[in-house]
């Protein structure tokens, strides 16, 4: 059996020396807005998180910092970030691209020491992006209190720049007396669920999201500042969900025959159990063929799951207990997705097909665990939730007459490929130019692209004339 890995060929990114078009006679103008004191609220995207970490260069190239730089040509003031000085970041997780066994692959970065998130900084900041924040967290007292960290009620990134331990993010924004704000929040209210295959987090109920978002908007409106909102992208358009192919179980005719034989054996075992319970015969309706096949995955809704779990609970034979778990599988559908965290070394060992087990003569089926799979039901739930959230955001922008960036539509276009300033961009992992190595957050070039969409929405809404960022000045993923 040979699984098809993610081959990251050394693709030249084509770092062209393209330059944006410059219109003769262009005169920068703030229009109807005042950018003298810009405050940004949001999550990791706003903070500049990339490659699995918040580190110095990534923060410097956040879309918010690029946007604030462009604001300076129309009266924008200083934009203070909670400066990260370490290239390794604040918390572990930074990735870099390296050659592994002849191919390029993300590996843990070793760019020096981590930077402590405590004690807090002793200055106020304009970039209030908090990695990991959901919409409710911007309203939560104590979210910046280190005493709440062990209970999971505080965030180390916010602890680092909260002006007082119990000041909420939105209160801190108000204290800055913003003349202009951006609010891009809500991604994490559904992302944690999606990125963990529905196994690692929950989706914020729509009613709660609506109340929290409304409270944020009402508070920001009380300042009289103008602002820009951004909606939530279709998360499954990110490289994180579209890099590991679901049909990479590539086998020859001999292996296909062996796997079908193994499948028949498992069906025989299943039907012996069902016969004792007086239940009809069962078939997985799977046939392996030479070539590419869809992987097997755990089936949490297996038709006889309760019966098999009950047997597993009463048996004292560990191999029989394992068998009761392993037989609860199905084959992926063509539309279902594997996450970037799916361990490819395990796929090579048989996860997603059949894997040898000590003490059993024949390999057992080994469905890919649910935490690595976004199945059809989960995809539908994620999509409908995002649509509902985005309706709330759109209505809020209309209610307060604020600008709106339709990130959802933009990233759907990016998935198919777009050309900006003569540079081709798409959602492909590493080579697409938009996403960083974690597959979710933006590369420097992706940040430049997003900042330009914010500028376009602001210019349109407030009759401003702010020039766009030259995205050719920013790279995608950094190659070794």
């Amino acid at each position: 059996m040979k699984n098809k890995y993610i081959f990251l060929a050394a693709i030249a990114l084509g770092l062209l020396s393209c330059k944006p078009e410059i219109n003769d006679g262009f005169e920068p103008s703030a229009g109807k807005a005042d950018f003298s004191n810009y405050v940004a609220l949001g999550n990791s995207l706003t903070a500049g998180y990339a490659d699995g970490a918040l580190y110095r260069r990534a923060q410097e190239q956040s879309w918010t910092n690029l946007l604030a730089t462009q604001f300076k040509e129309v009266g924008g003031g200083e934009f203070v970030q909670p400066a990260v000085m370490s290239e390794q970041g604040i918390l572990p997780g930074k990735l870099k691209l390296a050659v592994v066994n002849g191919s390029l692959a993300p590996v843990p970065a070793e760019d020096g020491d981590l930077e402590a998130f405590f004690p807090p900084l002793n200055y106020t900041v304009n970039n209030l992006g908090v990695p990991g924040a959901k919409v409710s967290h911007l309203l939560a007292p104590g979210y910046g209190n280190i005493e709440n960290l062990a209970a999971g009620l505080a965030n180390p990134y916010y602890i680092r720049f909260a002006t007082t331990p119990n000041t909420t993010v939105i209160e801190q924004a108000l204290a800055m007396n913003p003349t202009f704000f951006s609010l891009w929040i809500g991604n994490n209210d559904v992302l944690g669920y999606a990125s963990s295959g529905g196994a690692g987090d929950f989706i914020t109920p729509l009613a709660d999201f609506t109340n929290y978002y409304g409270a944020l908007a009402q508070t920001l409106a009380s300042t009289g500042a103008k602002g820009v909102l951004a909606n939530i992208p279709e998360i499954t358009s990110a490289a994180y969900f579209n890099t590991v192919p679901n049909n990479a179980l590539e086998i020859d005719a001999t292996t296909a025959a062996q796997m079908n034989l193994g499948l028949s054996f498992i069906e025989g075992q299943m039907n012996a159990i069902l016969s004792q319970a007086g239940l009809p015969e069962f078939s997985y309706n799977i046939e392996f063929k030479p070539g590419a096949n869809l992987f097997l995955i755990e089936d949490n809704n297996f038709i006889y799951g309760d019966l098999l779990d009950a047997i597993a609970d009463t048996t004292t034979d560990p191999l029989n207990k394992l068998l009761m778990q392993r037989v609860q599988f199905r084959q992926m559908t063509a539309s279902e997705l594997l996450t970037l965290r799916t361990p490819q070394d395990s796929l090579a060992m048989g996860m997603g097909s059949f894997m040898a087990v000590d003490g059993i003569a024949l390999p057992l089926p080994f469905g890919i665990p649910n935490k690595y799979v976004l199945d059809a039901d989960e995809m539908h739930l994620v999509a409908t939730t995002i649509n509902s959230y985005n309706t709330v955001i759109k209505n809020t922008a209309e209610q307060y007459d604020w600008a709106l960036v339709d990130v959802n539509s933009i990233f759907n276009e990016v998935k198919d490929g777009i050309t900006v300033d003569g540079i081709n961009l798409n959602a492909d992992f590493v080579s697409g130019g938009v996403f960083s190595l974690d597959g979710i957050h933006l590369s420097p070039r992706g940040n430049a692209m997003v900042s330009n969409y914010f500028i376009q929405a602001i210019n349109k809404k407030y009759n401003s004339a702010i020039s766009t960022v030259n995205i050719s000045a920013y790279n995608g993923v950094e190659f070794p």
Side-chain angles (χ1 to χ4, degrees):
M1 175 191 331
K2 182 178 69 175
N3 287 318
K4 186 187 298 178
Y5 298 101
I6 309 168
F7 288 109
L8 302 177
I11 303 168
L13 279 179
L15 301 180
L16 306 177
S17 58
C18 299
K19 296 180 180 178
E21 294 182 2
I22 299 176
N23 297 323
D24 291 338
F26 177 81
E27 294 185 6
S29 168
K32 300 176 183 176
D34 177 358
F35 302 102
S36 60
N37 189 16
Y38 165 48
V39 172
L41 300 97
N43 50 38
S44 50
L45 292 165
T46 295
Y49 194 98
D51 301 320
L54 182 62
Y55 60 99
R56 183 178 64 84
R57 280 185 298 163
Q59 185 187 55
E60 290 175 350
Q61 298 177 103
S62 64
W63 67 265
T64 44
N65 200 36
L66 301 182
L67 184 64
T69 300
Q70 300 306 105
F71 283 168
K72 289 181 179 177
E73 68 180 18
V74 292
E78 186 178 9
F79 185 74
V80 180
Q81 301 206 86
V84 179
M85 305 308 294
S86 167
E87 276 301 322
Q88 186 68 14
I90 295 175
L91 295 177
K94 185 183 177 185
L95 300 169
K96 68 177 182 180
L97 205 57
V99 178
V100 179
N101 297 325
S103 296
L104 288 171
V107 299
E110 296 178 355
D111 289 330
D113 296 330
L114 290 172
E115 185 169 329
F117 65 85
F118 194 84
L121 304 174
N122 59 359
Y123 55 87
T124 56
V125 301
N126 296 72
N127 190 341
L128 301 179
V130 184
K134 297 182 177 182
V135 63
S136 63
H137 291 144
L138 303 191
L139 297 155
Y143 195 51
N145 190 336
I146 196 169
E147 294 181 359
N148 294 334
L149 192 60
L153 300 176
N155 182 310
Y157 294 102
Y158 186 47
I159 289 172
R160 188 166 179 268
F161 65 79
T163 51
T164 70
N166 293 316
T167 299
T168 67
V169 176
I170 188 65
E171 287 172 344
Q172 190 156 328
L174 256 62
M176 294 291 292
N177 296 315
T179 61
F180 193 85
F181 69 87
S182 62
L183 176 63
W184 190 8
I185 192 71
N187 303 46
N188 289 327
D189 293 81
V190 65
L191 177 62
Y193 174 88
S195 63
S196 63
D201 200 0
F202 63 91
I203 292 177
T204 302
L206 177 61
D208 291 343
F209 182 90
T210 303
N211 289 336
Y212 296 140
Y213 201 90
L216 288 173
Q218 186 175 27
T219 305
L220 289 167
S222 70
T223 68
K226 299 185 185 304
V228 56
L229 310 181
N231 65 12
I232 301 168
E234 177 52 61
I235 288 173
T236 55
S237 65
Y240 182 87
F241 295 99
N242 293 287
T243 298
V244 181
N246 60 10
N247 65 343
L249 181 59
E250 193 169 303
I251 52 178
D252 58 22
T254 300
T255 305
Q258 292 172 341
M259 292 176 67
N260 285 325
L261 187 62
L263 195 60
S264 296
F265 173 77
I266 294 299
E267 282 184 343
Q269 297 293 307
M270 271 289 303
N271 284 319
I273 295 170
L274 297 179
S275 177
Q276 291 180 2
L279 295 170
E281 283 196 352
F282 168 81
S283 172
Y284 287 97
N285 293 317
I286 299 172
E287 181 182 3
F288 294 104
K289 298 178 180 178
N293 291 261
L294 293 160
F295 283 117
L296 305 181
I297 59 174
E298 288 181 347
D299 186 356
N300 292 334
N301 298 313
F302 192 72
I303 184 172
Y304 296 119
D306 290 343
L307 172 63
L308 298 174
D309 290 343
I311 295 173
D313 288 341
T314 57
T315 184
T316 57
D317 181 352
L319 292 179
N320 194 37
K321 186 184 291 288
L322 177 64
L323 180 64
M324 293 304 104
Q325 297 170 347
R326 289 287 186 86
V327 297
Q328 298 183 51
F329 68 89
R330 66 174 174 85
Q331 194 165 33
M332 296 187 76
T333 66
S335 63
E336 292 176 323
L337 303 173
L338 295 175
T339 73
L340 193 56
R341 290 181 180 171
T342 307
Q344 294 180 64
D345 54 347
S346 296
L347 292 178
M349 295 293 292
M351 188 177 76
S353 55
F354 285 78
M355 180 181 284
V357 177
D358 290 342
I360 298 182
L362 294 175
L364 291 182
F366 185 5
I368 297 174
N370 185 255
K371 62 182 178 181
Y372 301 125
V373 181
L374 197 61
D375 67 28
D377 290 341
E378 293 160 348
M379 291 172 66
H380 177 73
L381 179 59
V382 167
T384 55
T385 298
I386 290 174
N387 286 338
S388 298
Y389 286 177
N390 284 346
T391 297
V392 172
I393 295 170
K394 178 177 181 290
N395 291 343
T396 302
E398 291 175 352
Q399 178 182 353
Y400 293 103
D401 200 24
W402 292 331
L404 174 66
V405 184
D406 186 1
V407 179
N408 188 278
S409 296
I410 292 166
F411 274 80
N412 277 328
E413 293 178 5
V414 168
K415 186 176 180 180
D416 296 328
I418 62 173
T419 300
V420 181
D421 293 342
I423 298 176
N424 296 324
L425 300 171
N426 60 55
D428 289 352
F429 188 54
V430 175
S431 62
V434 175
F435 292 101
S436 69
L437 286 176
D438 57 37
I440 293 286
H441 299 93
L442 300 169
S443 69
R445 183 164 287 175
N447 274 290
M449 179 195 77
V450 165
S451 68
N452 283 344
Y453 284 114
F454 272 79
I455 289 170
Q456 290 171 13
I458 292 167
N459 283 346
K460 181 178 180 181
K461 186 66 183 179
Y462 300 113
N463 198 29
S464 307
I466 304 167
S467 60
T468 54
V469 175
N470 177 6
I471 74 163
S472 67
Y474 298 89
N475 293 330
V477 167
E478 184 175 334
F479 278 67

